[in-house]
Amino acid sequence: MFKGPTTIRDHSFEANLFARRAFIAFVFVLVLVAILFINVYQLQVTSHDTYQTRSNDNRIKIVPVAPNRGIIYDRNGVILAENKPVYSLEGISENIKDLDKSLEKLAKLLAISEQQQTNFLNDLKHNRRFKSQILKSRLSEKEVALFSVNQHKFPGFSIEARLARHYPYGDTLTHALGYVAKIGKKELLKLDSENKTKNYRATRDIGKLGIEKFYEDTLHGTVGSQKIEINNRGRVLRTLSFTPPIPGDDLVLTMDIGLQKAAQEALKGMRGAITVLDAKDGGVLAMYSNPSYDPNLFVHGISSKNYKALLNPDRPLINRATQGRYAPASTVKPLFAILGLNEGIITETTKIHDPGFFQIPNVKHKWYDWKPWGHGTKEDGYKVDVYKAIEESCNVFFYDLAYRLGITKISNFMAKFGFGEKSGIDIFEETSAILPSVEWKKERYKESWYVGDTISVGIGQGYWSATQIQIANAINILANKGVHNPPHLASVTKQGSTVKLINNEEKEPIIVKNPHHWDIALDAMHNTVSKLRGTANKAFKGVTYDPAGKTGTAQVVKIAQGEKYDEKKLKEKYRDNAMYVGFAPFDDPEIVIAITVENTGGGSSVGAPMARKVMDYYFANKAKEVASNP
């Protein structure tokens, strides 16, 4: 039997082969270990700071804390705008045992609407289970108490409180204070452009109108922060540090809430505005526009139904004191008298013939006086001087004066009193109205100025329009014989014990050629109230103080030549506006008042009696203060 060749193993070769493989494997492992150590070194040493920061970012969170908004006070320390806790019923999804059953019971207990339930369920779906969501906000004290005694039946639900703006006097101060409301897209863009976004990270509301908007930077404050530790699900574990926010400055206004309420009461049921200035410094004591509305509606988000109700023909959203454009009518006649005296067109003794109408030479058109037979008497030859012209509000005297002055002198002089430009009052809702001039008409209508255009301007009509705050400011300058204290609403900011005066600068005074010209116009305004023929005498009969003033009746629509104004034939919106301006006491003015009442008739019958009501309150209240602080 044949046998094959026998294989002889080479143990030496195999040993060498094993040794080489073992060496390669060792080197490979060594390389891997080296790579591992290099990587560990990089993570632990080289990139330590980077990964430490990233780790902290996952573990530590900075939460902004909103500052408390500054409080607004009136001049006597009465709170006009404050921050009040608002109670909300909120629920945490992961803690609620039976959501549907709980909602059903809560709806019956607290009258929660279907819409509120739907919103709550949507919020739960789109937010984390441990985050609290609002079911119903602005709970009443009764609702809070009702839930509190039943809270054990609703695990996962609780009452939470936060601060919200509140205006205790509601519609009394709306057009002056304005309001705050939820920050919108426009405000966000504006904050971003002004690099203020960071300071508003925790703020929900922002000033929308009035003082709240104008002094937003003052009232808002500086955002604070708290450093918190969270787990991998975002749940707060503990607070590591806290930087408190700096509250906004408090604001003290020049307003007197008592006088403001008196103005509101006087205008009750009518459209118009009343402005009262402190004659000593131009501070606004009262500024009420009627109709008004409750600003608290906007703070919590006004409903579409409530907002539509404000879009009615009476236009309650308009501040008639600063945005309403009215013909100033006869309230500017004292200013015309000073201009005429200053230009030498008239003197203190100049008299004109008043037949009840005025005509430009060689022109048929007649401009009629409100008194068809004129203001003169048979005894004085039907002549009228500047005193009588203001006292009885003679139109013919001022038609003639305006004709001889010309529009350029009129426009230049009235601009010094602030007509045609914003008064600079510290709210943004203001218009400059129209002070007509040759240039203005050319630009506005592409037409030349005619002499006939000037005649109506002489009695504050025609193209001329003014806001009430402009008129009040002009009369304040007049009452102070040229000293100009601009109108303003705020006078002081307060942060703790730090008090800062604001808006206390005078403007350049108005200088006339002869200071006696001021006295002539002011004496005539005094006669308007004190003399029997004065157009405001009846309204102020029996007062215990010494007022001066000027009535005005502004036409709203043109009356054709030869036709007579018949109130009964006109629609209510086309009837005259009643105007009044005045100040008191005559020898040392403390207050200046301006009244505008839409479509109610004459300044003597409506404006002056209304001014008396407000002035009566002021001086009666002052007498009480003197009596209590002798």
Side-chain angles (χ1 to χ4, degrees):
M1 183 177 181
F2 176 78
K3 292 184 179 179
T6 304
T7 303
I8 301 174
R9 297 181 61 184
D10 186 346
H11 293 285
S12 175
F13 174 77
E14 290 180 353
N16 287 336
L17 180 62
F18 176 78
R20 284 198 299 273
R21 289 177 177 175
F23 177 75
I24 292 171
F26 174 75
V27 171
F28 182 71
V29 170
L30 196 63
V31 170
L32 289 178
V33 170
I35 292 172
L36 180 63
F37 273 100
I38 290 171
N39 197 33
V40 169
Y41 179 83
Q42 187 177 11
L43 290 174
Q44 295 293 330
V45 180
T46 307
S47 303
H48 174 270
D49 292 341
T50 302
Y51 288 104
Q52 180 69 44
T53 302
R54 290 175 62 178
S55 174
N56 286 341
D57 285 346
N58 290 332
R59 184 178 64 89
I60 299 172
K61 191 174 181 182
I62 306 295
V63 179
V65 181
N68 288 338
R69 197 172 179 84
I71 308 299
I72 301 176
Y73 299 90
D74 87 337
R75 66 192 297 119
N76 299 312
V78 179
I79 293 176
L80 306 180
E82 58 188 336
N83 304 314
K84 288 187 71 174
V86 175
Y87 298 99
S88 302
L89 176 61
E90 300 184 8
I92 299 176
S93 178
E94 67 178 10
N95 297 337
I96 300 172
K97 289 185 177 178
D98 189 335
L99 181 58
D100 294 336
K101 197 172 181 180
S102 295
L103 282 179
E104 184 181 346
K105 289 182 178 178
L106 283 169
K108 291 179 181 175
L109 184 68
L110 301 175
I112 297 171
S113 68
E114 291 186 5
Q115 184 61 51
Q116 288 170 321
Q117 293 180 55
T118 303
N119 292 341
F120 177 68
L121 292 172
N122 287 335
D123 289 340
L124 290 183
K125 284 180 184 175
H126 296 97
N127 288 283
R128 298 188 175 185
R129 288 175 55 79
F130 57 81
K131 196 170 181 181
S132 183
Q133 304 299 329
I134 296 176
L135 174 58
K136 184 176 183 180
S137 60
R138 299 171 62 192
L139 297 176
S140 65
E141 291 183 4
K142 183 181 177 182
E143 288 173 322
V144 172
L146 200 57
F147 177 80
S148 297
V149 298
N150 292 283
Q151 187 168 4
H152 63 283
K153 301 176 183 175
F154 303 101
F157 287 93
S158 61
I159 299 290
E160 302 295 334
R162 65 177 176 82
L163 292 178
R165 205 58 157 176
H166 177 67
Y167 303 98
Y169 291 95
D171 63 357
T172 304
L173 291 157
T174 307
H175 293 106
L177 290 185
Y179 57 83
V180 300
K182 188 177 179 182
I183 300 174
K185 289 182 181 177
K186 284 185 179 178
E187 286 92 2
L188 283 174
L189 291 173
K190 189 170 184 291
L191 290 172
D192 190 47
S193 66
E194 295 172 349
N195 201 25
K196 296 177 181 175
T197 307
K198 187 178 177 182
N199 199 33
Y200 278 78
R201 287 180 302 167
T203 303
R204 295 181 55 185
D205 300 327
I206 195 169
K208 296 281 186 176
L209 286 176
I211 285 291
E212 292 278 24
K213 183 176 183 179
F214 194 90
Y215 290 101
E216 173 63 31
D217 290 344
T218 303
L219 292 165
H220 178 263
T222 305
V223 67
S225 64
Q226 62 175 341
K227 186 183 288 185
I228 58 173
E229 185 178 4
I230 58 175
N231 63 15
N232 61 344
R233 297 178 64 188
R235 189 190 306 280
V236 178
L237 301 177
R238 60 179 173 143
T239 299
L240 301 174
S241 64
F242 180 71
T243 303
I246 301 173
D249 290 358
D250 294 336
L251 206 57
V252 180
L253 304 188
T254 58
M255 300 186 78
D256 180 328
I257 183 60
L259 197 65
Q260 181 78 359
K261 289 166 77 174
Q264 182 182 25
E265 180 63 27
L267 261 175
K268 195 173 184 179
M270 291 176 269
R271 295 186 304 276
I274 295 177
T275 296
V276 185
L277 299 182
D278 184 333
K280 304 297 183 188
D281 62 10
V284 177
L285 294 169
M287 186 175 73
Y288 181 72
S289 173
N290 201 56
S292 186
Y293 58 93
D294 185 356
N296 292 301
L297 292 172
F298 286 86
V299 175
H300 303 286
I302 190 169
S303 66
S304 57
K305 180 183 176 184
N306 286 334
Y307 188 72
K308 283 180 182 176
L310 296 177
L311 303 178
N312 62 61
D314 287 340
R315 306 177 74 186
L317 296 174
I318 298 295
N319 182 356
R320 286 171 159 80
T322 58
Q323 294 176 303
R325 298 181 182 188
Y326 304 97
S330 298
T331 60
V332 292
K333 285 177 177 173
L335 303 181
F336 269 98
I338 294 172
L339 175 57
L341 292 163
N342 209 43
E343 293 294 328
I345 304 293
I346 59 170
T347 67
E348 189 173 359
T349 56
T350 298
K351 292 185 178 181
I352 64 150
H353 177 62
D354 177 14
F357 62 87
F358 172 80
Q359 276 182 293
I360 298 173
N362 305 317
V363 174
K364 287 184 179 179
H365 184 89
K366 293 180 179 179
W367 283 265
Y368 288 95
D369 203 300
W370 65 270
K371 204 172 184 180
W373 53 89
H375 290 271
T377 61
K378 187 176 181 181
E379 290 73 26
D380 60 21
Y382 300 100
K383 299 284 187 178
V384 177
D385 63 9
V386 65
Y387 289 102
K388 180 175 280 189
I390 293 175
E391 177 189 329
E392 298 185 18
S393 202
C394 171
N395 287 349
V396 172
F397 186 93
F398 291 98
Y399 288 146
D400 180 73
L401 181 56
Y403 171 68
R404 290 194 279 165
L405 283 167
I407 189 61
T408 300
K409 286 181 179 175
I410 293 171
S411 185
N412 291 341
F413 186 74
M414 295 304 168
K416 294 180 181 179
F417 286 84
F419 292 105
E421 63 180 24
K422 293 179 180 178
S423 71
I425 189 172
D426 39 356
I427 56 175
F428 292 114
E429 300 77 43
E430 185 181 14
T431 177
S432 58
I434 297 170
L435 176 59
S437 65
V438 174
E439 296 76 19
W440 170 83
K441 190 179 178 187
K442 193 73 176 175
E443 183 178 344
R444 176 68 177 82
Y445 293 106
K446 314 297 179 192
E447 291 180 5
S448 300
W449 185 272
Y450 301 107
V451 176
D453 296 333
T454 307
I455 309 306
S456 297
V457 172
I459 59 166
Q461 294 274 177
Y463 292 113
W464 194 356
S465 68
T467 64
Q468 186 177 87
I469 194 69
Q470 285 176 336
I471 297 171
N473 182 41
I475 298 303
N476 195 27
I477 295 171
L478 171 61
N480 285 287
K481 300 181 181 178
V483 177
H484 187 185
N485 290 298
H488 56 274
L489 285 159
S491 59
V492 170
T493 63
K494 293 195 301 182
Q495 178 62 265
S497 59
T498 304
V499 177
K500 183 181 175 184
L501 296 177
I502 58 175
N503 298 325
N504 56 348
E505 294 181 4
E506 288 183 10
K507 277 191 174 182
E508 189 177 345
I510 296 174
I511 307 295
V512 295
K513 292 177 181 174
N514 185 347
H516 183 57
H517 296 163
W518 296 113
D519 297 327
I520 294 170
L522 295 173
D523 286 343
M525 290 178 73
H526 193 219
N527 294 345
T528 302
V529 178
S530 60
K531 286 202 171 183
L532 194 60
R533 286 179 174 272
T535 54
N537 176 266
K538 188 178 177 182
F540 282 90
K541 193 165 285 181
V543 293
T544 55
Y545 46 92
D546 190 16
K550 182 71 193 78
T551 57
T553 303
Q555 283 185 350
V556 175
V557 291
K558 283 187 177 179
I559 304 298
Q561 185 84 75
E563 285 190 13
K564 290 184 178 179
Y565 174 78
D566 188 344
E567 182 178 295
K568 294 178 182 176
K569 291 183 179 178
L570 290 172
K571 290 183 178 178
E572 191 261 352
K573 65 179 180 179
Y574 297 136
R575 294 172 187 167
D576 293 345
N577 293 334
M579 317 282 288
Y580 184 82
V581 294
F583 59 91
F586 171 68
D587 57 351
D588 184 20
E590 292 179 19
I591 60 170
V592 168
I593 190 167
I595 305 272
T596 308
V597 191
E598 296 178 4
N599 316 121
T600 54
S604 301
S605 57
V606 179
M610 196 174 287
R612 176 174 179 173
K613 285 181 182 177
V614 178
M615 283 188 164
D616 281 355
Y617 172 87
Y618 174 84
F619 286 104
N621 195 52
K622 184 186 173 186
K624 287 180 186 175
E625 289 179 5
V626 172
S628 60
N629 299 294

